[in-house]
Amino acid sequence: MEFKNAIFTYTLNFIKAFIESKNIVYCMGIILIGLFDTVLFAYGSKMNRRKLIKRIIIFILVSVSMTAILFSVEKYYFEERVAKTVLMGRAMSAQIEERLNHEIGITEFFEILMKTDHEKTIEKFDEVAERLISTAPELNSIQLAPNGVVTYIYPHSGNEQGLVDLFADADRRSDAVKARDSKKIVITGPVALKQGGTGLIARNPIYIGDKFWGFAIAIVKMDDFWEALPEFADISERFVCNIHATENGVSKLIYSNGTVSEKKLKATSDMELVDGTVWTMELYPKGGWIGVMRRFFTTSFLIFLIATIYMLVIKTDNVLMDAHSNARKASYDALTGVFNKGEFEKKLQLLEKEEQESGFIYMDIDYFKYINDNYGHDVGDKVLTAFAKRVMNAVREEDEVYRVGGDEFVVYVPRQISDEMYFIMRERLKNHIEQEFSVDGVEIIMRASIGMASYPGERSNLREAVRLADIRMYKDKNKNHALHKSGDSTFYKRGKESV
């Protein structure tokens, strides 16, 4: 009786601890399993104390283990989603930067024309402006302002209120003087336009010889600009997005579709305009990094998993566990835990059958033989395991990692790899791989040789694409070896081996 009371008291304390953790859904599962154990107590007289203790120990171990997995999964998902959002933000920022600078850069083209033949440029202004604005449809207008007086506007209709003296206008004088005196483009805005709406105004001072002639002006209507970016519309729908400019330590809001507490982690990316102004984009998922529904389903699944594993450990035959273990060994590399060479061959056969667009990134560990020869295979195995883990952490969820040789690995990407995508993936892989690793008293900086190829973009035959990635990897290896032999100081660092 005392034994049963002690176990029951422990169960209540365990439930209380999880309730205080505020993970209510998980606590409900703990309570249900606790009730299940209470039923076991009712049949305590029919089983010996050793079996009863074993069930309680299994219950505690499974519950604690699944709790750790819950927080590990959420942490991994959180870090992965932040990383993906950062990459998405960088890609979007690069697109915004490129388009804005292209549209603002039209003023530089007019500057060249004016310095070449300003009279003819003025005479042909409408014709030239029409052609240029067709390449930048988000432009509200292009203007010329001799001596700071806006005189020529295209299109003229609807923009008549833009015909102002910039130096006489109180709202425009400061930036006009700044552009004239600095002899550099000055971007103003977003500001309310006299023509209606809000816009970004770029004023490029034109000097013919040493004499100030006036300004070439481009006005970007920001509402039209954002709407012209379909990817931005998707981002704005899924994320709280804020873009602000920082100049001389002062921050100015450029775009906002909501507010987020300063304490919350946001994915940030920068873009730089032609005048040197830096814009920063901040993204935060509207449902939070780990949404309520995801947390609910993850937790619910883990509750089910706890109950299932609990029952399986008690009742499942060892033969079933061995069968599961054997099936895993057939597909996975026993040392590193990634897919093995046999699975890679199966994957290639499937891709050939389906003619699936694919990308392959071949890589191996530089100077791996040096490790085995000098420190033994035990250290080498630990390096391989750490390398595989870092690669797995670096790739995306849909990518697959295979070990196809001693220290050779392949990342399969279910699409063709563009140069930009390869650059991003290569940098991400190197950032994860090339970190110090301490094993058995040896400090190592791992390095990898990497080669990439796409099918059918680069080769019409899938296996030829695989071979091309392998060849490029070896070319990269030769390059790395030549660099190290030439005396690159990063190869040896104060007694640490760099591999």
Side-chain angles (χ1 to χ4, degrees):
M1 188 68 181
E2 292 179 0
F3 172 75
K4 293 182 180 180
N5 289 337
I7 294 296
F8 187 71
T9 301
Y10 165 78
T11 304
L12 289 179
N13 290 334
F14 195 66
I15 292 171
K16 180 182 177 182
F18 275 98
I19 290 176
E20 290 175 351
S21 74
K22 300 180 181 179
N23 199 332
I24 303 301
V25 178
Y26 188 75
C27 293
M28 290 172 61
I30 296 295
I31 293 170
L32 290 175
I33 297 175
L35 290 174
F36 177 77
D37 255 62
T38 304
V39 174
L40 290 180
F41 291 147
Y43 292 93
S45 60
K46 298 181 181 180
M47 65 175 69
N48 60 49
R49 179 171 294 189
R50 178 177 295 180
K51 182 177 287 188
L52 190 60
I53 293 175
K54 179 181 177 182
R55 293 199 175 192
I56 298 302
I57 291 174
I58 290 173
F59 164 67
I60 295 171
L61 291 176
V62 170
S63 298
V64 172
S65 299
M66 291 304 104
T67 302
I69 289 175
L70 169 66
F71 289 107
S72 296
V73 168
E74 289 189 349
K75 183 176 183 291
Y76 173 80
Y77 174 77
F78 167 79
E79 292 175 347
E80 182 183 42
R81 192 174 184 195
V82 170
K84 287 183 176 180
T85 303
V86 168
L87 290 176
M88 179 179 63
R90 287 176 181 173
M92 190 71 254
S93 295
Q95 187 176 346
I96 293 172
E97 177 183 303
E98 181 182 4
R99 294 188 69 157
L100 270 179
N101 285 338
H102 165 71
E103 293 169 1
I104 293 169
I106 286 175
T107 63
E108 295 178 318
F109 182 74
F110 263 103
E111 180 184 6
I112 294 171
L113 291 178
M114 291 296 295
K115 288 181 177 181
T116 304
D117 189 341
H118 66 275
E119 292 182 357
K120 187 174 182 180
T121 300
I122 291 173
E123 179 184 343
K124 300 284 187 178
F125 172 74
D126 283 352
E127 180 181 344
V128 175
E130 182 181 9
R131 290 183 182 179
L132 291 175
I133 212 167
S134 67
T135 69
E138 295 82 26
L139 280 179
N140 175 266
S141 65
I142 300 174
Q143 307 172 5
L144 289 178
N147 295 314
V149 179
V150 179
T151 307
Y152 306 97
I153 300 180
Y154 183 87
H156 189 274
S157 178
N159 292 304
E160 294 84 353
Q161 294 188 48
L163 297 168
V164 297
D165 184 340
L166 300 177
F167 294 118
D169 189 297
D171 295 331
R172 291 162 170 76
R173 174 177 171 78
S174 176
D175 287 337
V177 170
K178 179 180 178 181
R180 181 194 65 191
D181 294 347
S182 67
K183 297 183 180 182
K184 295 180 181 179
I185 295 177
V186 171
I187 299 175
T188 307
V191 297
L193 301 173
K194 290 185 179 293
Q195 304 93 312
T198 60
L200 203 66
I201 305 173
R203 298 186 178 95
N204 187 7
I206 298 174
Y207 279 79
I208 299 178
D210 294 330
K211 184 179 180 182
F212 173 70
W213 179 87
F215 298 101
I217 303 170
I219 299 180
V220 182
K221 201 161 187 178
M222 295 310 293
D223 291 340
D224 295 341
F225 180 80
W226 302 127
E227 290 176 3
L229 299 170
E231 298 90 346
F232 187 77
D234 177 64
I235 288 176
S236 298
E237 182 178 345
R238 296 189 293 124
F239 294 87
V240 175
C241 177
N242 289 294
I243 301 176
H244 55 84
T246 303
E247 187 175 5
N248 298 325
V250 179
S251 179
K252 179 179 181 180
L253 192 64
I254 303 296
Y255 173 89
S256 177
N257 66 349
T259 58
V260 179
S261 169
E262 292 184 3
K263 296 181 180 179
K264 293 189 179 293
L265 176 66
K266 295 172 279 291
T268 63
S269 54
D270 292 337
M271 57 200 94
E272 185 174 354
L273 304 188
V274 292
D275 69 337
T277 302
V278 176
W279 287 10
T280 300
M281 175 189 287
E282 296 179 342
L283 297 177
Y284 182 82
K286 289 186 176 180
W289 290 113
I290 302 178
V292 174
M293 290 305 296
R294 177 181 174 86
R295 190 183 294 272
F296 172 80
F297 284 118
T298 300
T299 309
S300 299
F301 172 73
L302 286 171
I303 293 170
F304 168 77
L305 196 61
I306 289 173
T308 302
I309 292 177
Y310 183 81
M311 295 298 296
L312 287 175
V313 171
I314 299 298
K315 297 182 178 181
T316 302
D317 191 278
N318 288 334
V319 175
L320 294 177
M321 300 298 292
D322 291 340
H324 173 75
S325 176
N326 292 335
R328 180 173 178 82
K329 289 178 181 178
S331 300
Y332 292 85
D333 178 59
L335 177 63
T336 62
V338 301
F339 289 116
N340 59 27
K341 187 175 183 179
E343 282 298 302
F344 186 57
E345 177 59 31
K346 292 178 183 178
K347 188 70 175 183
L348 292 180
Q349 293 175 4
L350 178 64
L351 294 174
E352 286 177 321
K353 181 179 179 181
E354 297 181 350
E355 297 183 353
Q356 172 71 41
E357 288 189 354
S358 306
F360 301 95
I361 300 176
Y362 251 83
M363 63 184 72
D364 76 355
I365 304 173
D366 289 347
Y367 295 97
F368 182 68
K369 185 176 183 299
Y370 177 84
I371 296 177
N372 276 336
D373 291 346
N374 286 273
Y375 303 110
H377 291 280
D378 288 343
V379 172
D381 287 348
K382 291 176 182 178
V383 169
L384 282 171
T385 303
F387 182 86
K389 183 177 180 181
R390 292 178 180 186
V391 173
M392 288 292 292
N393 288 338
V395 299
R396 302 164 307 166
E397 186 175 350
E398 63 264 33
D399 301 333
E400 297 173 359
V401 180
Y402 298 83
R403 184 186 178 196
V404 296
D407 64 330
E408 290 189 3
F409 294 78
V410 178
V411 177
Y412 161 70
V413 181
R415 69 189 69 176
Q416 296 197 72
I417 306 174
S418 65
D419 290 344
E420 180 181 357
M421 180 181 176
Y422 174 63
F423 176 79
I424 292 173
M425 292 187 72
R426 180 185 175 89
E427 289 303 306
R428 182 171 172 80
L429 283 165
K430 282 187 171 291
N431 287 340
H432 277 72
I433 292 169
E434 295 181 358
Q435 298 180 22
E436 289 188 11
F437 172 65
S438 180
V439 53
D440 295 347
V442 180
E443 291 190 358
I444 296 170
I445 299 177
M446 285 190 281
R447 299 186 187 279
S449 296
I450 301 175
M452 174 277 295
S454 291
Y455 165 82
E458 295 185 283
R459 290 291 186 271
S460 59
N461 181 284
L462 182 77
R463 293 183 185 269
E464 286 296 325
V466 174
R467 279 191 283 271
L468 178 60
D470 190 24
I471 290 170
R472 287 174 173 171
M473 183 266 287
Y474 275 101
K475 287 183 178 180
D476 189 42
K477 177 179 282 292
N478 291 335
K479 178 182 176 182
N480 291 342
H481 284 204
L483 179 64
H484 293 157
K485 289 178 180 179
S486 67
D488 178 12
S489 62
T490 64
F491 182 55
Y492 292 102
K493 288 188 176 180
R494 296 181 182 177
K496 299 176 182 177
E497 302 292 352
S498 178
V499 179

